[in-house]
Amino acid sequence: MVLHRPHLTCAGIAFALYLHHLVSAIEVPLDLPQPPTITKQSVKDYIVDPRDNIFIECEAKGNPVPTFSWTRNGKFFNVAKDPKVSMRRRSGTLVIDFHSGGRPEDYEGEYQCFARNDYGTALSSKIHLQVSKSPLWPKEKVDVIEVDEGAPLSLQCNPPPGLPSPVIFWMSSSMEPIHQDKRVSQGQNGDLYFSNVMLQDAQTDYSCNARFHFTHTIQQKNPYTLKVKTTRGVTETTPSFMYPYGTSSSQMVLRGVDLLLECIASGVPAPDIMWYKKGGELPAGKTKLENFNKALRISNVSEEDSGEYFCLASNKMGSIRHTISVRVKAAPYWLDEPQNLILAPGEDGRLVCRANGNPKPTIQWLVNGEPIEASPPNPSREVAGDTIVFRDTQIGSSAVYQCNASNEHGYLLANAFVSVLDVPPRILAPRNQLIKVIQYNRTRLDCPFFGSPIPTLRWFKNGQGNTLDGGNYKAHENGSLEMNMARKEDQGIYTCVATNILGKAEAQVRLEVKDPTRIVRGPEDQVVKRGSMPRLHCRVKHDPTLKLTVTWLKDDAPLYIGNRMKKEDDGLTIYGVAEKDQGDYTCVASTELDKDSAKAYLTVLERPDRPRDLELTDLAERSVRLTWIPGDDNNSPITDYIVQFEEDRFQPGTWHNHSRYPGSVNSAVLSLSPYVNYQFRVIAVNDVGSSLPSVPSERYQTNGARPEINPTGVQGAGTQKNNMEITWTPLNATQAYGPNLRYIVRWRRRDARGSWYNETVKTPRHVVWNTPIYVPYEIKVQAENDFGRAPEPDTVIGYSGEDLPSSPRYLRIRQPNLESINLEWDHPEHPNGVLTGYNLRYQAFNGSKTGRTLVENFSPNQTRFTLQRTDPISRYRFFLRARTQVGDGETIVEESPALLNEAYTKNHVDIATQGWFIGLMCAIALLVLILLIVCFIKRSRGGKYPVRDNKDEHLNPEDKNVEDGSFDYSDEDNKPLPNSQTSLDGTIKQQESDDSLVDYGEGGEGQFNEDGSFIGQYTVKKDKEETEGNESSEATSPVNAIYSLA
């Protein structure tokens, strides 16, 4: 942010103009008699457009109102006599009208205006009227110019003389500008100079053109044609001056104009030019090098710029110098211009006319337009060179005096009247003025006055008697009171009093001191991306009694607030900033008295411009160099270049990325592939984004070769259960390397190790049919074109098509408690593919009532699941099947086992710990013991008790699941043996379990009553027939009975 603190406020700006009034003459009110004063006139050298009417201006004031007359070429010009000429009403301006015909050239000449009234005559300067001219170029035949290569050459222009002089420039006949540099350039005289001619200079012709200002026409000279004669080698030469000639020259210039010194030199190589001033430095702050250092311009020349200047032309072969002696002359200029003189009767005064020039001008006095020597004698007037002294003037002595200062380079003419008046003081300013000023600024209070004799004027504040002059105040002769620094305590009412011998006059001025306007937070420099929403701050503090206006400038011009901009009290917001929004933004806060401004630069980052002028060089079999010219980075440095290519065989019109390079390069060697007709383009990248692609390069064709790589991404997979589809990623245009690209596909079963099958195809797909379900294959795909085959490819394993899997091997159901059910299963024996998961559907049922079917899906490696029961009574039916990508396979169905003991289900207690159960078991044990004793006694008595033979099966220890209360069910081939029983935990007990005494009863079965106790029956039978001869006829002994029980 740049803050501009203009101490020169609005009032301060006017104060600068006021300084001029402090030294200017006192104006005579127009209601008082006074001689004429010229107020407006045309310039001395007046060039007019011949197509327009001519206006020669002359206006004057005076009382009485002046009358006007003209002279032309020193003779009276009778305006009334020429119908084309008229004079404006209440003005001396001449109007020459050519609407009805006439030649403007007939009115060329020197005109002078005379303004007269009863008190004198005022003169205008002599106005030299000329009509603009743009003559045609003389017809001439221009021969072909033959020149040796390396020689110097100048082509002359010689434009026709115009008024004013035309502007000269060189172009070809096809209106293309001639490129200029330190070797080829145009001189100030309009000629075109070649320091040395090169072969390329003959590629065009050269025509001098003259543009005329008033007619806005361009005239073209017949073009020059060059024929450059070549040599084996151009000889290097030392510099030599083509303009000016020789080693020295001189130049005269008038004071106040620009001096232009020029040196043009030949040589091989083209020389460099440097400028120096003998005995000192080049004038500081006013010199400028032009035309590739061949011209030195010194602006606003003064006498101090006289001296010797020299130019030094040098190349590697040597150097030469040319000295230019500069003489500064001067047309007359004022040192003391005469001013109007107002005198009271009896007063003395003087008119001073002092001028300088080179040569020194002569001073001539005139009175009312006539030489003062020829005027009637006036005893109160004395001429002393450049001064006229008046003594004891009287009313009636008023006149207009002219001072003419002239030398060979020009003249000055000034009018100054002498007016003798007897007038009391009067204040010319409005009454009760209000002056507002910003605190600490300089200001002035104006009190213009008039009187004759000239009154004295004093200032007072708030009615106080002390005159204000000195310190912070300064009173000027024209009646103004200047304050160096206005403070708050300076507020008040000021009174000015003008007094002379005829009376006095006074006026009051009220001064108010205001607080300054300040921007307390201005805009700051920002760098933003295109499309963003920057905000420029402008918070202002100002005097509340003054109206504040805040305006915005862009690049120092008023900013148009469109739809994308929102101006607020404390800032400016730009929506969707674009590249055109970049620039300087200035916030200007102003009141009627002062203003403050703050400036910031908004930089908009944009995508870079596209690269241009792509060129292919260093053409080789497998590479080429690509060169480009970067586009504008649009304020965000280019970070990368993306080179893209397009080929016209495989994918015409499709562009592919080739390579990427840093933003610091503009040339790269590109690797190429065989058999590609390349075309390239370049994209520039910066932080904002990517440029548009460049215009494509020319095409470049490479020769063919056999492929160097094979296809990638080779896969084999079945789309049906009896096939295998082989696919791969085909070679692209830069990998084919030749015409007629094809693929050799080979395959065989992995486990067979048999012969290979093969097929040649052009598309990236081949299907093998009649394959077994989901078996592995070895696959190879090799690229081939008309130039040969690629190297041997790698082997890839693929699989034929999949089918539905068989059912899982088993499904086991475990119920560790009444709250959950555990499921466990094994993978299918025949997956027929890659398992993708398992699907489990299950449903609760209780008798004839069934719940809704629920579904669970599992990953292929999950073989366990725990189901949280919703109630402890219902059973569940489970449907489980495996899945491949073909679909769901066969289903295995199982149900959870039934719960046998309702009391257990309801009460959740262990009956083995109940007292009644323990007592019952003890009673049963006692009963068995008694039975055994009875058997023993009967045996001892010799009785026979045949016992049914039992299978020789071992007793197994009690299943551990009974102890932990769990229930188990399996669908394995553990089928119940004959006469087996369902255990309390719901498992099937085999016949060899030692928990049953069934085998010792005749066809009896062990049973449990409702309380879970065992009721065993032991049946003793006598064999009605003896089947075994070796059976004992004696009663079974107790020991044998026990053994048999065992």
Side-chain angles (χ1 to χ4, degrees):
M1 178 182 70
V2 179
L3 285 176
H4 299 270
R5 302 294 192 195
H7 295 289
L8 196 63
T9 60
C10 297
I13 295 173
F15 180 81
L17 300 175
Y18 146 78
L19 294 178
H20 170 73
H21 291 286
L22 297 182
V23 297
S24 63
I26 295 176
E27 294 290 329
V28 179
L30 272 178
D31 62 335
L32 296 176
Q34 57 184 288
T37 300
I38 300 292
T39 58
K40 189 176 183 181
Q41 58 182 318
S42 295
V43 296
K44 292 180 181 179
D45 293 313
Y46 188 28
I47 301 175
V48 296
D49 191 333
R51 299 168 299 178
D52 298 331
N53 292 337
I54 298 175
F55 299 90
I56 309 176
E57 292 185 314
C58 179
E59 296 183 5
K61 66 177 182 177
N63 190 0
V65 175
T67 60
F68 298 90
S69 63
W70 287 86
T71 61
R72 178 183 175 210
N73 298 327
K75 298 179 179 180
F76 174 71
F77 182 55
N78 192 344
V79 175
K81 190 176 180 180
D82 192 333
K84 292 183 175 58
V85 182
S86 62
M87 194 181 299
R88 286 179 179 170
R89 185 172 178 272
R90 301 184 68 86
S91 168
T93 298
L94 289 180
V95 179
I96 307 175
D97 191 345
F98 297 103
H99 286 140
S100 58
R103 297 178 66 254
E105 292 80 3
D106 294 341
Y107 292 88
E108 289 184 326
E110 188 177 74
Y111 292 80
Q112 191 169 25
C113 174
F114 294 76
R116 295 181 174 87
N117 70 6
D118 296 341
Y119 299 99
T121 301
L123 308 181
S124 72
S125 298
K126 293 180 179 179
I127 301 168
H128 186 199
L129 176 66
Q130 294 176 286
V131 177
S132 172
K133 297 176 178 61
S134 52
L136 296 177
W137 218 299
K139 292 183 179 181
E140 57 181 338
K141 182 180 179 181
V142 180
D143 297 327
V144 175
I145 298 177
E146 294 188 2
V147 60
D148 292 331
E149 184 180 9
L153 175 67
S154 64
L155 301 180
Q156 294 184 352
C157 180
N158 295 327
L163 187 67
S165 298
V167 176
I168 304 300
F169 56 96
W170 286 81
M171 303 184 77
S172 67
S173 58
S174 59
M175 301 305 291
E176 292 291 332
I178 300 300
H179 175 72
Q180 298 189 30
D181 52 25
K182 74 174 185 178
R183 185 181 67 88
V184 181
S185 63
Q186 176 184 318
Q188 294 300 317
N189 60 359
D191 295 348
L192 188 65
Y193 293 90
F194 295 77
S195 295
N196 57 80
V197 175
M198 302 176 66
L199 281 176
Q200 65 194 44
D201 297 330
Q203 296 177 359
T204 185
D205 55 11
Y206 301 85
S207 177
C208 183
N209 295 262
R211 183 176 66 242
F212 294 91
H213 173 70
F214 280 94
T215 58
H216 302 288
T217 58
I218 296 177
Q219 296 189 27
Q220 188 176 57
K221 186 175 183 178
N222 289 337
Y224 292 98
T225 301
L226 299 186
K227 181 178 180 181
V228 180
K229 295 183 291 185
T230 61
T231 58
R232 291 184 179 180
V234 177
T235 303
E236 294 182 336
T237 59
T238 57
S240 176
F241 282 111
M242 303 176 71
Y243 181 87
Y245 302 106
T247 59
S248 63
S249 60
S250 62
Q251 194 165 336
M252 190 273 290
V253 62
L254 290 179
R255 177 183 181 273
V257 302
D258 287 358
L259 168 65
L260 192 65
L261 304 178
E262 187 176 40
C263 283
I264 300 176
S266 64
V268 180
D272 293 309
I273 307 294
M274 299 186 69
W275 290 90
Y276 304 91
K277 183 180 182 182
K278 288 185 178 180
E281 300 291 331
L282 294 176
K286 49 194 301 187
T287 59
K288 180 181 179 182
L289 295 175
E290 299 177 353
N291 198 19
F292 310 100
N293 290 1
K294 298 178 184 180
L296 173 67
R297 182 180 295 275
I298 303 175
S299 59
N300 193 21
V301 172
S302 61
E303 287 82 353
E304 293 79 11
D305 298 323
S306 297
E308 290 189 349
Y309 296 79
F310 67 89
C311 58
L312 182 69
S314 60
N315 62 13
K316 64 181 181 179
M317 301 302 296
S319 62
I320 57 172
R321 71 165 59 185
H322 182 93
T323 302
I324 304 174
S325 183
V326 174
R327 296 174 295 114
V328 178
K329 299 292 185 178
Y333 56 93
W334 291 116
L335 298 177
D336 234 336
E337 185 177 2
Q339 303 294 328
N340 293 336
L341 183 61
I342 301 169
L343 299 174
E347 279 191 319
D348 299 339
R350 65 175 56 195
L351 292 176
V352 178
C353 177
R354 290 170 42 187
N356 199 5
N358 187 4
K360 187 174 179 62
T362 58
I363 303 297
Q364 180 186 16
W365 284 100
L366 296 91
V367 58
N368 295 327
E370 299 292 337
I372 197 169
E373 299 84 4
S375 65
N378 186 345
S380 64
R381 179 183 66 203
E382 179 182 352
V383 178
D386 57 11
T387 303
I388 300 178
V389 178
F390 299 92
R391 297 184 177 87
D392 192 21
T393 57
Q394 300 298 321
I395 293 178
S397 301
S398 299
V400 181
Y401 292 83
Q402 288 83 34
C403 174
N404 187 319
S406 60
N407 65 10
E408 60 189 81
H409 303 297
Y411 76 95
L412 294 173
L413 179 67
N415 290 276
F417 66 72
V418 176
S419 182
V420 181
L421 298 172
D422 197 7
V423 180
R426 60 167 70 177
I427 303 296
L428 304 180
R431 301 289 181 178
N432 300 319
Q433 294 182 76
L434 172 62
I435 302 297
K436 300 177 183 178
V437 64
I438 296 298
Q439 187 178 11
Y440 304 127
N441 278 4
R442 177 180 291 186
T443 188
R444 80 175 194 275
L445 307 181
D446 289 331
C447 185
F449 65 95
F450 183 76
S452 184
I454 300 299
T456 59
L457 188 132
R458 293 179 297 171
W459 283 93
F460 304 93
K461 180 185 177 184
N462 296 332
Q464 297 177 358
N466 296 328
T467 301
L468 298 177
D469 196 7
N472 193 37
Y473 303 101
K474 182 178 181 181
H476 292 277
E477 292 182 357
N478 69 344
S480 295
L481 179 66
E482 180 185 352
M483 295 184 189
N484 293 325
M485 181 185 297
R487 301 158 298 185
K488 286 289 186 179
E489 55 266 29
D490 292 326
Q491 293 187 123
I493 296 177
Y494 292 78
T495 303
C496 63
V497 179
T499 307
N500 69 8
I501 58 173
L502 301 178
K504 71 175 183 178
E506 65 180 44
Q508 291 184 341
V509 180
R510 182 159 60 93
L511 178 67
E512 293 182 358
V513 180
K514 305 293 184 180
D515 292 329
T517 302
R518 288 290 178 264
I519 296 177
V520 296
R521 184 183 182 186
E524 297 178 348
D525 293 344
Q526 296 186 49
V527 179
V528 298
K529 289 185 177 181
R530 182 180 182 270
S532 60
M533 188 178 69
R535 177 175 172 79
L536 303 172
H537 295 281
C538 187
R539 192 164 68 243
V540 183
K541 181 181 179 182
H542 71 291
D543 193 294
T545 64
L546 299 177
K547 181 181 178 182
L548 175 68
T549 301
V550 177
T551 58
W552 285 89
L553 307 178
K554 181 179 183 292
D555 298 329
D556 299 325
L559 175 65
Y560 170 71
I561 307 295
N563 295 332
R564 295 187 305 105
M565 297 184 182
K566 183 179 180 181
K567 179 183 173 184
E568 300 163 318
D569 291 340
D570 60 348
L572 176 71
T573 302
I574 304 176
Y575 297 92
V577 68
E579 183 181 4
K580 63 181 180 181
D581 296 320
Q582 177 171 299
D584 276 313
Y585 286 81
T586 305
C587 171
V588 181
S590 58
T591 65
E592 61 184 277
L593 299 181
D594 68 341
K595 67 179 180 180
D596 194 11
S597 63
K599 178 183 290 188
Y601 194 83
L602 179 65
T603 302
V604 179
L605 303 182
E606 177 65 278
R607 297 186 304 170
D609 291 345
R610 68 174 74 189
R612 56 185 177 86
D613 298 343
L614 273 62
E615 182 181 9
L616 297 179
T617 57
D618 303 342
L619 306 177
E621 187 69 23
R622 291 290 187 94
S623 67
V624 68
R625 176 173 289 279
L626 176 64
T627 305
W628 62 90
I629 296 177
D632 194 329
D633 62 9
N634 291 327
N635 305 310
S636 180
I638 296 175
T639 58
D640 297 276
Y641 286 104
I642 299 173
V643 177
Q644 296 182 327
F645 73 93
E646 180 261 355
E647 53 79 30
D648 58 0
R649 290 193 177 94
F650 289 84
Q651 291 179 297
T654 301
W655 289 89
H656 310 272
N657 287 347
H658 181 281
S659 48
R660 197 179 188 106
Y661 300 96
S664 57
V665 306
N666 69 327
S667 180
V669 177
L670 309 181
S671 298
L672 305 181
S673 297
Y675 196 65
V676 179
N677 192 17
Y678 282 100
Q679 189 178 35
F680 299 98
R681 70 183 187 184
V682 183
I683 298 174
V685 181
N686 62 12
D687 289 341
V688 180
S690 301
S691 72
L692 295 174
S694 67
V695 175
S697 70
E698 58 184 343
R699 287 196 178 272
Y700 179 59
Q701 169 74 54
T702 55
N703 296 325
R706 68 181 183 87
E708 294 183 356
I709 61 173
N710 285 301
T712 58
V714 178
Q715 294 180 343
T719 59
Q720 299 180 24
K721 64 182 181 180
N722 64 341
N723 77 358
M724 178 178 65
E725 183 182 59
I726 303 173
T727 59
W728 57 92
T729 302
L731 302 185
N732 60 34
T734 61
Q735 298 168 335
Y737 282 19
N740 196 21
L741 177 66
R742 51 201 179 270
Y743 303 96
I744 303 172
V745 186
R746 289 181 284 174
W747 71 93
R748 71 178 181 184
R749 285 190 61 170
R750 188 179 187 184
D751 54 355
R753 298 295 179 187
S755 60
W756 289 87
Y757 298 92
N758 67 80
E759 188 75 28
T760 301
V761 298
K762 291 190 175 183
T763 59
R765 175 180 176 272
H766 179 67
V767 180
V768 180
W769 292 96
N770 300 321
T771 60
I773 295 175
Y774 199 65
V775 296
Y777 280 82
E778 293 180 345
I779 303 170
K780 295 181 180 181
V781 180
Q782 186 178 25
E784 182 183 36
N785 63 20
D786 288 353
F787 289 93
R789 293 184 179 181
E792 185 67 20
D794 296 332
T795 301
V796 176
I797 304 301
Y799 287 85
S800 58
E802 301 182 12
D803 201 357
L804 300 177
S806 63
S807 63
R809 287 191 177 95
Y810 62 81
L811 173 62
R812 293 175 180 163
I813 303 174
R814 293 169 53 87
Q815 299 185 139
N817 51 54
L818 296 179
E819 285 80 21
S820 61
I821 298 176
N822 292 339
L823 303 182
E824 182 179 0
W825 61 88
D826 196 6
H827 299 300
E829 183 177 0
H830 303 290
N832 292 335
V834 179
L835 292 180
T836 60
Y838 291 93
N839 176 267
L840 175 66
R841 295 184 295 113
Y842 57 94
Q843 185 180 42
F845 67 93
N846 191 349
S848 62
K849 295 182 179 180
T850 60
R852 63 188 180 94
T853 300
L854 302 177
V855 179
E856 297 284 350
N857 290 295
F858 307 107
S859 62
N861 58 354
Q862 185 173 347
T863 57
R864 294 176 184 270
F865 175 64
T866 299
L867 172 65
Q868 301 298 322
R869 301 173 63 100
T870 58
D871 65 81
I873 300 175
S874 298
R875 297 176 63 194
Y876 286 84
R877 185 175 293 113
F878 297 94
F879 305 84
L880 180 67
R881 53 188 176 181
R883 181 190 301 118
T884 65
Q885 66 177 3
V886 178
D888 292 336
E890 299 176 2
T891 304
I892 182 172
V893 182
E894 298 293 348
E895 295 179 356
S896 63
L899 298 178
L900 301 180
N901 194 309
E902 183 178 354
Y904 178 83
T905 301
K906 292 180 179 179
N907 300 321
H908 294 268
V909 295
D910 190 355
I911 60 174
T913 62
Q914 302 298 309
W916 60 271
F917 180 80
I918 296 173
L920 178 61
M921 295 306 293
C922 290
I924 293 173
L926 181 60
L927 180 60
V928 172
L929 181 60
I930 294 173
L931 180 61
L932 291 176
I933 293 173
V934 171
C935 291
F936 178 77
I937 294 174
K938 288 185 177 184
R939 286 274 185 144
S940 298
R941 292 177 181 177
K944 279 188 176 181
Y945 298 90
V947 179
R948 183 180 179 181
D949 292 336
N950 296 303
K951 294 181 180 180
D952 188 15
E953 295 177 344
H954 297 284
L955 299 175
N956 291 329
E958 185 176 347
D959 192 277
K960 64 180 180 178
N961 291 337
V962 176
E963 295 178 356
D964 60 14
S966 64
F967 304 87
D968 184 67
Y969 182 86
S970 173
D971 68 334
E972 294 179 302
D973 295 332
N974 300 327
K975 304 299 181 181
L977 295 175
N979 300 324
S980 64
Q981 299 293 319
T982 303
S983 67
L984 182 65
D985 62 359
T987 61
I988 305 299
K989 295 297 183 178
Q990 294 184 2
Q991 196 169 359
E992 63 265 26
S993 173
D994 60 358
D995 291 340
S996 176
L997 296 178
V998 170
D999 296 333
Y1000 294 94
E1002 187 178 17
E1005 293 181 352
Q1007 299 179 359
F1008 292 90
N1009 60 11
E1010 291 182 356
D1011 61 2
S1013 64
F1014 176 79
I1015 303 177
Q1017 293 183 350
Y1018 186 82
T1019 305
V1020 180
K1021 298 177 59 179
K1022 290 183 179 181
D1023 293 336
K1024 294 182 179 183
E1025 296 181 359
E1026 298 292 331
T1027 59
E1028 297 277 333
N1030 59 356
E1031 283 186 355
S1032 176
S1033 60
E1034 300 179 350
T1036 303
S1037 67
V1039 176
N1040 290 335
I1042 293 173
Y1043 282 159
S1044 67
L1045 288 171

